[in-house]
Amino acid sequence: MRAQKNRILFIAPLPPPVHGSAMVSRQIKESRAVNDAFRCDWVNMSTSRRMDEIGKTTFSKPFRLAGSLFLTFWKLLTHHYDLCYLAITCHGKGFLKDAPFVLLCKLFGRKILIHQHNKGMANDVDRWPYRWLLPLCYKNAEVILLSWNLYPDIEKVVPRENVAICPNGIKIDEDIKKENNGSCDTLPQLLFLSNLLESKGVIVLLDALKILKNQGYSFVCDFVGGETKEIDAKRFNEEVEMRGLEDVALYHGRKSGAEKADAFEKCDIFVFPSYNETFGLVLLEAMSYRKPIVTTNEGGIPDIVKDGENGLIAERKNPESLAECIARLLNDKEARLKMGENGYQKLMAYFTEEKFENNLIKILNYKLNL
């Protein structure tokens, strides 16, 4: 007789809006391998439906939160779960919102696995009420980190032996060209693709572009991503005009599907100067298109981009350093092509969807068997 599969309750944010944690959660939810290995139930814990709602208080958010908490309670009451998987925010108001989901699972005596897609716990761990609520939620919980570089953020709360590492992975589009042709014309194309947040380096990049333009470099930088409460299209254009970059810094809004693929295809250099990052899923996308990357030594990024191998590492919040790295690649097409190919090979070796799913399944099984 075939053994019955373990049942797991997944409590995680799902898109919309589109951001790293939600995209990985959707990837897991739609994974054939995960669904073949376990009986999976889901609760969407997201209270925002657009990027500009994140961090804002809206009329509908308390009702969405109450609905998700009730659904979690009902599922726990009416089903036996061998494990509860939670993708929660580990700091600030987001943690206070998500903590009740963990406590509900603990109330029912379920095993807890927390998949950490963010950081900032170290800033709160000594503050009230986090100094008692964080240890309460994380006690006896297994925690998945995207990189060991992120462990110092949680070391005061989570013992090292309770941590497993599971880097993200992406599905490789078979229709992507086998060569990095870049832009069709002679004018180099830079691409920034992320939601418009200061912590993603939007303003730092604009400052770097101004330096490059003043140095006489010719280029165009496309900005693709959703507006946020920090930076909407109006503010972005004002920042561009302040720096005299109207002819080189162009905002195209959010793109998906074929339009997003086209943005990657035509660019020569992918630029992502984030200074608050856990992993940077978009970097894997750039690598799948064989693009050289200019980024920062932030969070788990050093596991993805090695300086001089598949990209260049600039100093955080440093427009001069960022401009210098971009200039090096603008000056050397051969280096761009070589780094782009190196990035693709690294992606295929370590960061595919199949490797991510197999690693996650191993971790889930390990926690189930503890």
Side-chain angles (χ1 to χ4, degrees):
M1 185 176 178
R2 194 172 183 179
Q4 189 174 18
K5 292 187 290 188
N6 287 304
R7 191 165 195 162
I8 300 177
L9 178 59
F10 289 84
I11 306 170
L14 294 166
V18 174
H19 54 79
S21 178
M23 294 302 291
V24 174
S25 297
R26 184 171 71 181
Q27 183 181 357
I28 297 169
K29 188 173 189 288
E30 296 175 354
S31 166
R32 176 177 294 181
V34 172
N35 284 286
D36 284 346
F38 311 105
R39 298 170 67 196
C40 305
D41 289 344
W42 283 81
V43 173
N44 180 8
M45 67 192 306
S46 177
T47 57
S48 298
R49 295 296 180 265
R50 303 188 310 272
M51 276 305 301
D52 60 2
E53 283 186 348
I54 294 178
K56 282 185 178 179
T57 301
T58 66
F59 176 78
S60 57
K61 278 188 176 184
F63 295 98
R64 291 172 186 160
L65 177 60
S68 296
L69 284 168
F70 177 79
L71 181 59
T72 300
F73 174 78
W74 182 251
K75 286 183 176 293
L76 288 165
L77 186 66
T78 56
H79 300 87
H80 174 79
Y81 292 102
D82 301 290
L83 177 68
C84 291
Y85 164 107
L86 300 106
I88 66 172
T89 301
C90 70
H91 65 94
K93 293 180 180 178
F95 170 71
L96 299 180
K97 174 183 71 71
D98 293 348
F101 290 96
V102 183
L103 298 177
L104 264 178
C105 296
K106 283 179 172 283
L107 181 66
F108 281 84
R110 301 296 170 240
K111 293 181 178 180
I112 306 293
L113 177 65
I114 296 174
H115 199 163
Q116 205 96 314
H117 296 282
N118 48 78
K119 59 190 181 74
M121 186 187 293
N123 298 326
D124 291 337
V125 68
D126 295 321
R127 299 169 48 215
W128 187 90
Y130 305 96
R131 61 173 174 257
W132 61 267
L133 189 55
L134 280 165
L136 179 63
C137 286
Y138 281 83
K139 184 178 181 181
N140 298 324
E142 193 81 8
V143 175
I144 298 177
L145 293 181
L146 308 181
S147 165
W148 278 117
N149 292 313
L150 299 166
Y151 180 67
D153 185 60
I154 68 170
E155 63 182 347
K156 287 187 176 181
V157 176
V158 182
R160 195 177 183 90
E161 58 268 24
N162 288 7
V163 174
I165 303 300
C166 185
N168 288 331
I170 63 168
K171 185 176 182 179
I172 308 302
D173 187 346
E174 298 299 329
D175 295 329
I176 294 174
K177 294 177 182 178
K178 300 301 181 184
E179 297 179 1
N180 174 13
N181 295 321
S183 54
C184 298
D185 51 36
T186 57
L187 190 65
Q189 301 277 126
L190 313 180
L191 174 64
F192 170 92
L193 196 153
S194 183
N195 293 311
L196 298 186
L197 292 164
E198 291 191 20
S199 63
K200 299 296 182 182
V202 175
I203 304 303
V204 174
L205 178 53
L206 289 176
D207 288 338
L209 298 181
K210 181 180 178 180
I211 293 170
L212 291 168
K213 183 178 180 181
N214 290 342
Q215 290 175 347
Y217 284 95
S218 297
F219 59 87
V220 170
C221 185
D222 294 318
F223 287 77
V224 175
E227 299 176 64
T228 68
K229 70 166 189 172
E230 290 182 4
I231 305 176
D232 57 13
K234 181 176 181 293
R235 184 191 166 188
F236 179 86
N237 290 324
E238 288 172 351
E239 298 284 352
V240 167
E241 290 173 13
M242 254 172 28
R243 294 165 177 79
L245 298 172
E246 294 92 336
D247 55 334
V248 299
L250 310 175
Y251 177 56
H252 300 277
R254 185 189 301 280
K255 301 292 181 186
S256 60
E259 289 183 322
K260 181 180 177 181
D262 183 61
F264 274 117
E265 286 279 8
K266 74 178 185 180
C267 84
D268 297 285
I269 304 168
F270 184 75
V271 188
F272 187 64
S274 177
Y275 53 86
N276 183 20
E277 201 66 37
T278 51
F279 194 75
L281 202 61
V282 70
L283 297 173
L284 302 186
E285 293 184 86
M287 289 159 67
S288 74
Y289 286 87
R290 292 176 165 84
K291 302 303 176 181
I293 294 166
V294 177
T295 186
T296 54
N297 247 10
E298 172 66 21
I301 291 177
D303 291 351
I304 305 171
V305 180
K306 184 176 179 181
D307 190 51
E309 182 180 288
N310 60 321
L312 296 175
I313 301 294
E315 294 177 11
R316 297 167 71 256
K317 300 185 182 182
N318 189 328
E320 291 79 13
S321 175
L322 182 61
E324 182 182 346
C325 290
I326 295 172
R328 283 175 59 187
L329 291 181
L330 287 174
N331 290 330
D332 194 340
K333 182 177 180 180
E334 186 176 337
R336 297 201 301 265
L337 296 176
K338 183 178 180 181
M339 288 183 185
E341 183 60 31
N342 288 344
Y344 180 78
Q345 296 303 326
K346 188 169 187 177
L347 170 72
M348 297 303 293
Y350 300 105
F351 303 116
T352 63
E353 182 178 57
E354 182 181 9
K355 292 182 186 300
F356 165 72
E357 291 175 350
N358 289 340
N359 197 1
L360 179 64
I361 290 169
K362 287 179 183 177
I363 294 169
L364 290 168
N365 278 321
Y366 172 78
K367 179 63 177 177
L368 284 163
N369 293 322
L370 282 178

